[in-house]
Amino acid sequence: MPATANDPRTSRTRSWWGWGYADAHPDDAECAALGALLPGTLTRPLPIPRIADLPIGRPAATPPPALAHLVTTDPPTRAAHAMGKAYRDVIRALRGRSGRIPDLVAHPTSDQEVADLLEWAGEHDVAVIPFGGGTSVVGGVEYRGDAHRAVLSLDLTAMDRVLEIDATSRSARIQAGTLGPLLEDQLRPHGLTLRHFPQSFEFSTLGGWLATRAGGHYATVHTHIDDFVQSLRVVTPAGVGTSWRLPASGAGPSPDRLFLGSEGTLGVITEAWMRLRERPRHKASAAVALPDFHRALEAVRAIAQSDLAPANCRLLDPGEALLSGASQDGSSVLILGFESSTSPVDHRLAAALDIARAHGGHPEPPTTDRDAPADTAVGAWRSAFLRMPYLRDGLARMGAVVETFETAATWDRIPALIDAVRSEVATAALKATGHPATVNCRFTHVYPDGAAPYFTVAVAGRPGAEVEIWDEIKAAASDVLHRHRATITHHHAVGRDHRPGYDGQRPEPFALALRAAKNALDPHHVLNPGVLID
């Protein structure tokens, strides 16, 4: 399904330039109201960009007749495949700076068609960018530079079926182009679930999750897609490979680990055997107000180091809690949730609430409903969480710079890291714009040895210079993370925009091994060049 096509489940149209569905974007009045929250934004929103205004030229390459039926060159489809959905991408579209638009978009339906397209591309100096749902926020689906004659976006969403279910082993063979909702729709009649729900779930694919090592929004235990992989099937210019289905193995470096997170630089993931779970039947959740943020950190650490394993353990600092509507009194808010397919979870929630009380927390009454009422802190947070990407685009239309920096670090470094990011990123934003910035923090995932703090910065930009301001803020944030030995990314891949930070994080022997793998598997260097590997 191309990124501009109607969703067959809803008959709604995806936005080619911004997040999600076109009809869910804030209107001009809501954009203006959002802009009023940040001093210095525009007086009226930027107009929604039109495909007709883009510099879309004639394709620089033509596929052979045997592949022509797989390829489209129509402008709307090419425009929808030009960039991802980062703030940087959205503001460039609004400012008419979309970058290099792919010459061709292909929709293969089989491994053989993927292999044929790669073979043709390698022979004709055509760069190939694997494309799932197009939700990348790190430049991972965009071609930059001019080293290739033409660019082909390889859209896998026509490969969207659950091919086989092994109920005995509780696993399934799934095509990589399957969007999150369609995947779950096909598993639901069997009482099974993959249980992987990133914020982009509605608009992203299994292959995208695998190629970017995506994190879901379960806060403990199995947090990343890696944990669910049983085997992969990958098409490379050097051939097709399928790893064995095994519950575990100590036989040398794992072939799956080579391709997980490789962002389409080593091969195209076309299908995978994935470990499944029974669908949960028992759920319980509650929110806890914590007046002291540092005591809140200790409460979260204590819960993470218990054996309670909450499905949700999300800490919102006072600014984040206010923004989501979870708190109005300056408290931090801890969102706790538990679920199970076999037994009630009320006792686990009660134990977690006891830990929070011991650290000065004040819990709301728990709820066992799947969707907490909107007037609870849990319900307010959930609504804000789903709406947030659309609001970011609304702020972008007002000329604001809005970005989230995700990371993870060990517990001993967390307090100093949070203080440094808040201070230095706010200072960098003020220096770049002349306007005060807000820098909020939330924990999305917690582990016994550390946590994943995410920071959101919002500041009024200078008209026409939003990308340059974003670059300055990004550089300041990356510098802080590097000094505190925090990862450049926790929730998804490196892409082009996190590449400098990643280069500082990875050991050089590993970098050499990656380059050797790239040279062996993609000798023409046509697969997503410049993302993860030189």
Side-chain angles (χ1 to χ4, degrees):
M1 183 181 69
T4 52
N6 289 339
D7 185 330
R9 298 171 299 109
T10 64
S11 298
R12 299 174 72 183
T13 301
R14 292 277 304 276
S15 170
W16 72 269
W17 63 273
W19 184 264
Y21 293 116
D23 62 6
H25 280 243
D27 60 20
D28 287 1
E30 187 177 2
C31 289
L34 290 168
L37 301 175
L38 284 177
T41 55
L42 302 175
T43 57
R44 64 182 63 181
L46 295 168
I48 292 175
R50 303 188 312 155
I51 292 175
D53 295 332
L54 297 176
I56 302 179
R58 293 176 59 85
T62 302
L67 299 176
H69 67 289
L70 302 174
V71 175
T72 181
T73 61
D74 72 273
T77 304
R78 291 169 62 188
H81 289 74
M83 296 185 298
K85 302 302 181 186
Y87 168 82
R88 188 177 188 277
D89 305 322
V90 169
I91 196 66
R92 286 161 62 210
L94 290 167
R95 291 295 186 184
R97 297 160 58 185
S98 296
R100 182 163 178 176
I101 294 170
D103 299 86
L104 311 163
V105 179
H107 294 91
T109 62
S110 68
D111 287 5
Q112 186 59 57
E113 290 175 353
V114 172
D116 292 343
L117 287 162
L118 291 181
E119 182 178 9
W120 169 75
E123 292 173 351
H124 292 82
D125 192 29
V126 177
V128 178
I129 313 294
F131 192 100
T135 58
S136 171
V137 292
V138 290
V141 297
E142 174 186 353
Y143 183 87
R144 296 181 190 169
D146 56 4
H148 296 80
R149 183 166 66 95
V151 178
L152 168 73
S153 180
L154 188 67
D155 187 316
L156 296 179
T157 51
M159 302 173 68
D160 62 359
R161 291 183 296 137
V162 174
L163 298 172
E164 187 177 350
I165 291 180
D166 175 0
T168 303
S169 305
R170 208 162 63 183
S171 54
R173 183 164 66 100
I174 306 168
Q175 289 184 307
T178 310
L179 290 160
L182 185 58
L183 188 159
E184 290 294 329
D185 286 347
Q186 293 177 77
L187 295 178
R188 188 173 290 106
H190 303 272
L192 298 170
T193 176
L194 181 60
R195 196 182 179 268
H196 183 77
F197 301 105
Q199 189 173 33
S200 62
F201 169 78
E202 194 172 8
F203 307 110
S204 54
T205 64
L206 173 64
W209 304 339
L210 297 167
T212 62
R213 291 189 65 198
H217 273 282
Y218 285 92
T220 62
V221 190
H222 302 301
T223 61
H224 276 68
I225 196 67
D226 312 32
D227 300 317
F228 304 106
V229 175
Q230 200 174 63
S231 77
L232 297 180
R233 183 169 175 82
V234 183
V235 178
T236 81
V240 181
T242 305
S243 59
W244 284 18
R245 289 181 62 205
L246 295 169
S249 173
S254 165
D256 296 336
R257 290 283 173 177
L258 178 64
F259 294 103
L260 286 168
S262 65
E263 300 189 71
T265 59
L266 302 176
V268 181
I269 300 169
T270 58
E271 62 181 59
W273 275 96
M274 304 296 295
R275 300 181 177 96
L276 306 177
R277 301 169 64 94
E278 293 183 17
R279 301 188 73 81
R281 292 180 293 167
H282 305 277
K283 296 190 176 188
S285 61
V288 183
L290 293 126
D292 185 301
F293 183 69
H294 289 285
R295 293 194 72 188
L297 295 180
E298 288 302 308
V300 173
R301 182 170 68 86
I303 293 170
Q305 292 177 346
S306 71
D307 60 356
L308 295 172
N312 198 2
C313 186
R314 182 175 294 257
L315 178 64
L316 314 177
D317 77 358
E320 191 78 19
L322 178 65
L323 186 65
S324 68
S327 173
Q328 307 293 327
D329 63 1
S331 296
S332 300
V333 173
L334 174 61
I335 307 292
L336 288 168
F338 291 84
E339 65 177 40
S340 171
S341 62
T342 58
S343 58
V345 294
D346 308 81
H347 64 291
R348 289 162 57 199
L349 175 59
L353 293 178
D354 285 344
I355 293 173
R357 287 190 188 94
H359 291 82
H362 306 286
E364 278 188 347
T367 176
T368 57
D369 296 334
R370 178 178 178 84
D371 296 314
D375 59 352
T376 65
V378 175
W381 163 76
R382 183 174 292 132
S383 297
F385 174 74
L386 296 174
R387 183 68 175 150
M388 193 57 66
Y390 293 102
L391 300 183
R392 179 210 63 178
D393 290 359
L395 282 167
R397 290 188 62 199
M398 297 303 298
V401 178
V402 186
E403 184 60 289
T404 296
F405 304 104
E406 44 153 299
T407 186
T410 52
W411 283 114
D412 60 314
R413 295 186 172 99
I414 290 287
L417 171 68
I418 293 174
D419 290 344
V421 170
R422 283 174 169 166
S423 172
E424 295 184 37
V425 170
T427 298
L430 177 63
K431 180 179 179 181
T433 67
H435 299 294
T438 62
V439 182
N440 297 326
C441 177
R442 63 186 182 273
F443 281 19
T444 62
H445 300 69
V446 294
Y447 307 94
D449 55 345
Y454 285 30
F455 302 91
T456 297
V457 57
V459 64
R462 296 195 312 272
E466 294 90 352
V467 172
E468 291 74 19
I469 292 168
W470 181 92
D471 287 338
E472 293 182 45
I473 295 173
K474 179 75 172 182
S478 298
D479 181 63
V480 176
L481 300 183
H482 186 76
R483 292 201 322 270
H484 288 264
R485 305 287 287 184
T487 180
I488 190 66
T489 175
H490 165 268
H491 203 67
H492 50 62
V494 176
R496 289 166 176 81
D497 296 332
H498 284 170
R499 177 66 189 274
Y502 177 71
D503 284 348
Q505 177 181 322
R506 65 181 183 177
E508 182 56 24
F510 177 65
L512 289 172
L514 281 178
R515 284 193 285 270
K518 173 71 172 175
N519 290 331
L521 293 172
D522 181 21
H524 298 289
H525 284 222
V526 298
L527 270 172
N528 218 2
V531 173
L532 184 66
I533 303 164
D534 286 323

